[in-house]
């Protein structure tokens, strides 16, 4: 999977700084209206002479631009002086990773912005995220989350390279059918958290990792001890600025002691997305704020002279879609076919997970439910389809664990399942749907010595990120669901 990624080269995009330097002259060239004599707009009196002048000036300018571009390229090709190294290097000149200048080992900083739906980067001016994109490698149509498109399953897939069925965090909340114990987002016992997360892999190699929040990072497991100064206990009230500054502080350590792998987590814009849906002004503001944090990070790394050495991987865990009260499906409406008691329902929406008690045949439950849903007599019934987990589309990889309930329902984009009718009316946002929906996609941007500048790659699933990180760190990773050849298709060869 992903091994057939084609290498898509894009037109080089200048950095934010270069962009603003060149903006004023080109803007002037384009604004014909500032010179009334040369105005080509129909409102001005049509005269032959001015339009000839416009064509002549345009030709002259085109020649100038072409000539300066030619000189610029010649300069890039023939200049070897490090002093005059351009801020932006054309991707066509890069065939190998850039060598580290200050650090004595590669460092990967994995940053997550929760619920950062793909496309949010166009909602607000995001100069800092754009700078990473322009000088790094981007999944052009977004990063594909794993199913279910929920926070805990996805964050843990990103750091283990495993689908939820294999890493054990099959939902944000679930029950272990063997022990009857419940998993919640506060469960830190290692028995829940299967697989080998990146911080553990790093520790296995005698290297240091630092986690500023990430689901699973506080779990003491294998050689990962969650050390006091490097492993933060989750506290959602810590200001984002403080999180960024703490990560920056690691770079003040002696070079050999700087952790090789770090995580940084922000709850936004997921938080706002649930309350108001993906299209509200609050989202725009939250996105702008995340961009500011990325700017704070870049600026801090630049001050320490390590920005070009550090690999920043910016991701989200899933997207967001608007939900509203007209798009509801009530389980109680299925009563003429089958009663679904509350205590059979492990999770309601958008991931419907049903575990009937022993003695009740799941096959029969699925049949009766689908009969009702297809009857045309259940409101919005056609927007929910119920499966035995083994019969779910195999692309979802959501069957191979006893923790996954035997019956799983897939809801159409933006629909919600509720137990019974209530008078409550609400509109907001949700995620957890089929990962094939574009609205569930999030972002992937890689910036650093092994990421080509200005490169776009096709969308890929987040289980490939684990191998990407171990390859950059040059360490042997644990077996996982990601493709072994994937890093080769995305990264520049080692220097
Ligand atoms: Zn959420």
């Amino acid at each position: 999977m992903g091994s057939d990624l084609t290498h898509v080269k894009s037109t080089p995009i200048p950095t934010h700084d270069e962009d603003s330097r060149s903006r004023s002259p080109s803007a002037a060239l384009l604004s014909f209206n500032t010179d009334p004599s040369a105005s080509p707009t129909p409102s001005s009196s049509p005269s032959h002479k001015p339009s000839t002048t416009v064509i002549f000036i345009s030709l002259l300018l085109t020649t100038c631009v072409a000539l300066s571009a030619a000189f610029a390229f010649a300069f890039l090709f023939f200049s070897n002086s490090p002093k005059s190294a351009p801020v932006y290097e054309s991707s066509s000149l890069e065939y190998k990773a850039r060598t580290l200048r200050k650090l004595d080992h590669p460092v990967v900083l994995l940053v997550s912005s929760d619920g950062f739906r793909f496309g949010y980067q166009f909602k607000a001016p995001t100069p800092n995220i754009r700078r990473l994109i322009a000088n790094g490698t981007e999944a052009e149509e977004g990063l594909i989350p794993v199913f279910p498109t929920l926070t805990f399953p996805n964050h843990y897939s990103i750091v283990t390279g495993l689908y939820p069925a294999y890493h054990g965090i099959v939902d944000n909340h679930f029950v272990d059918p063997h022990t009857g114990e419940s998993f919640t987002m506060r469960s830190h016992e290692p028995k829940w958290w299967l697989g080998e997360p990146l911080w553990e892999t790093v520790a296995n190699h005698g290297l240091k990792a630092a986690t500023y929040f990430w689901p699973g990072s506080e779990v003491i497991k294998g050689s990962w001890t969650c050390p006091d100064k490097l492993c933060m206990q989750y506290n959602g009230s810590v200001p984002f600025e403080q999180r960024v500054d703490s990560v920056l502080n690691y770079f003040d350590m002696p070079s050999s002691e700087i952790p090789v792998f770090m995580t940084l987590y922000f709850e936004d814009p997921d938080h706002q997305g649930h309350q108001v849906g993906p299209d509200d002004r609050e989202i725009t503001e939250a996105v702008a704020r995340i961009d500011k944090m990325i700017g704070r990070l870049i600026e801090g790394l630049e001050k320490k002279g390590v920005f070009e050495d550090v690999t920043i991987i910016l991701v989200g865990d899933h997207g967001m879609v608007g939900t509203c009260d007209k798009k509801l499906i009530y389980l109680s409406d299925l009563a003429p076919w089958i009663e679904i008691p509350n205590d059979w329902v492990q999770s309601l929406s958008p991931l419907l997970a049903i575990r009937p008690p022993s003695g009740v045949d799941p096959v029969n439950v699925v049949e009766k439910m689908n009969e009702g849903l297809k009857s045309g007599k259940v409101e919005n019934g056609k927007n929910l389809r119920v499966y035995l987990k083994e019969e779910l589309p195999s692309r979802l990889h959501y069957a191979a664990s006893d923790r996954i309930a035997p019956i799983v329902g897939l809801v159409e984009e933006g629909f919600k399942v509720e137990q019974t009718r209530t008078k409550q009316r609400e509109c907001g946002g949700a995620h957890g749907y089929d990962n094939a929906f574009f609205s569930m996609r999030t972002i992937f941007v890689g910036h650093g010595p092994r990421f080509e500048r200005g490169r776009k790659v096709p969308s890929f699933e987040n289980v490939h990120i684990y191998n990407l990180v171990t390859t950059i760190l040059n360490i042997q990773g644990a077996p996982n669901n990601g493709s072994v050849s994937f890093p080769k298709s995305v990264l520049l060869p080692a220097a």
Side-chain angles (χ1 to χ4, degrees):
M1 171 156 291
S3 52
D4 55 348
L5 279 181
T6 47
H7 184 124
V8 183
K9 287 216 172 162
S10 69
T11 325
I13 306 159
T15 58
H16 181 60
D17 318 275
E18 284 193 329
D19 194 23
S20 56
R21 257 184 278 132
S22 64
R23 189 174 295 135
S24 24
S26 60
L29 294 179
L30 294 169
S31 59
F32 290 101
N33 289 333
T34 53
D35 179 3
S37 72
S39 172
T41 54
S43 59
S44 67
S45 61
S47 136
H48 186 69
K49 207 179 156 205
S51 58
T52 318
T53 318
V54 170
I55 292 169
F56 176 70
I57 292 173
S58 314
L59 280 173
L60 193 71
L61 290 174
T62 314
T63 314
C64 289
V65 170
L67 275 175
S68 27
F71 277 117
F73 270 103
F75 178 76
L76 286 179
F77 267 99
F78 299 114
S79 157
N80 277 323
S81 152
K83 213 172 60 187
S84 57
V87 179
Y88 174 75
E89 292 160 46
S90 161
S91 61
S92 60
L93 299 180
E94 287 181 331
Y95 53 93
K96 249 188 179 176
R98 303 179 285 278
T99 46
L100 298 179
R101 293 175 196 177
K102 197 163 173 193
L103 296 178
D104 60 12
H105 56 76
V107 171
V108 175
L109 171 51
L110 182 61
V111 185
S112 164
S113 170
D114 201 312
F116 198 112
R117 170 173 163 167
F118 178 75
Y120 275 2
Q121 69 272 32
F122 306 114
K123 274 193 173 285
T126 50
N128 300 299
I129 294 173
R130 276 165 188 277
R131 183 172 167 192
L132 294 183
I133 292 172
N135 290 292
T137 296
E138 180 195 25
E140 194 167 21
E141 294 182 334
L143 178 66
I144 304 169
V146 294
F147 180 81
T149 52
L150 297 167
T151 297
F152 269 53
N154 272 280
H155 274 96
Y156 206 51
S157 284
I158 292 168
V159 293
T160 58
L162 297 168
Y163 291 110
Y166 305 95
H167 68 48
I169 309 303
V170 300
D171 194 343
N172 286 341
H173 310 268
F174 58 88
V175 176
D176 182 319
H178 301 296
T179 62
E181 288 174 284
S182 295
F183 171 85
T184 72
M185 291 188 274
R186 287 164 192 236
S187 302
H188 291 159
E189 301 94 329
K191 64 181 177 195
W192 297 109
W193 305 81
L194 314 178
E196 186 182 295
L198 282 164
W199 42 81
E200 191 184 341
T201 306
V202 163
N204 283 345
H205 286 80
L207 299 167
K208 273 209 256 183
T211 52
Y212 212 113
F213 305 161
W214 201 278
S217 60
E218 296 126 297
V219 179
I220 295 168
K221 204 163 108 44
S223 47
W224 174 247
T225 58
C226 185
D228 269 352
K229 293 210 166 97
L230 297 175
C231 168
M232 299 299 149
Q233 300 292 319
Y234 182 67
N235 173 1
S237 63
V238 177
F240 291 174
E241 288 82 357
Q242 195 179 316
R243 304 180 194 189
V244 172
D245 294 350
S246 302
V247 165
L248 287 171
N249 285 340
Y250 295 135
F251 291 93
D252 294 334
M253 297 168 113
S255 189
S256 63
E257 283 174 37
I258 298 174
V260 303
F261 175 69
M262 306 175 189
T263 69
L264 174 59
Y265 169 79
F266 303 114
E267 291 84 352
D268 293 355
D270 182 71
H271 172 73
Q272 293 81 358
H274 282 290
Q275 293 173 329
V276 293
D279 294 315
D280 194 272
R281 207 189 64 182
E282 273 190 50
I283 295 292
T284 313
E285 286 162 9
V287 167
R289 195 159 158 248
I290 290 297
D291 186 72
K292 273 209 182 77
M293 292 306 116
I294 300 301
R296 191 181 182 98
L297 182 68
I298 293 174
E299 199 187 320
L301 292 173
E302 275 183 325
K303 273 192 192 143
K304 295 172 196 294
V306 294
F307 175 55
E308 289 299 330
D309 280 4
V310 174
T311 298
I312 298 175
I313 296 180
L314 173 63
V315 295
D317 51 348
H318 53 69
M320 185 68 68
V321 71
T323 55
C324 227
D325 38 39
K326 284 198 181 96
K327 292 183 166 182
L328 297 176
I329 302 150
Y330 303 98
L331 293 183
S332 56
D333 286 359
L334 292 172
W337 293 270
I338 186 167
E339 297 260 7
I340 307 290
N342 247 328
D343 58 355
W344 293 14
V345 181
Q346 186 162 297
S347 150
L348 199 54
S349 190
L351 175 68
L352 175 64
I354 298 172
R355 189 184 293 281
S358 56
V360 176
D361 184 7
V363 176
N364 186 44
V365 177
V366 169
E367 264 173 28
K368 292 272 166 56
M369 287 182 79
N370 282 333
E371 206 182 303
L373 292 167
K374 287 182 197 161
S375 69
K377 292 174 191 156
V378 171
E379 192 183 342
N380 292 321
K382 64 178 191 320
N383 297 298
L384 168 64
R385 178 80 193 275
V386 181
Y387 297 83
L388 285 174
K389 65 179 174 185
E390 295 82 7
E391 286 168 9
L392 280 169
S394 59
R395 61 179 174 77
L396 298 176
H397 307 277
Y398 200 62
S401 168
D402 290 345
R403 295 177 183 178
I404 298 170
I407 300 167
V408 176
L410 294 182
V411 254
E412 264 306 321
E413 195 174 18
F415 281 81
K416 250 173 109 178
V417 182
E418 290 191 357
Q419 189 66 251
T420 51
R421 283 167 196 279
T422 57
K423 289 221 171 85
Q424 211 183 322
R425 292 284 169 262
E426 40 148 343
C427 286
H431 54 87
Y433 299 90
D434 190 336
N435 62 350
F437 294 135
F438 207 81
S439 57
M440 293 298 108
R441 286 199 192 174
T442 180
I443 48 164
F444 172 92
V445 187
H447 182 283
R450 297 285 301 267
F451 286 106
E452 198 171 349
R453 296 183 196 268
R455 184 166 166 211
K456 310 289 179 200
V457 293
S459 295
F460 57 89
E461 286 190 327
N462 66 18
V463 292
H464 296 297
I465 293 175
Y466 179 91
N467 287 342
L468 215 52
V469 175
T470 55
T471 304
I472 295 169
L473 296 179
N474 196 24
I475 56 175
Q476 180 66 45
N480 63 85
N481 298 127
S483 148
V484 181
S485 59
F486 179 77
K488 219 182 225 176
S489 68
V490 169
L491 298 176
L492 290 164

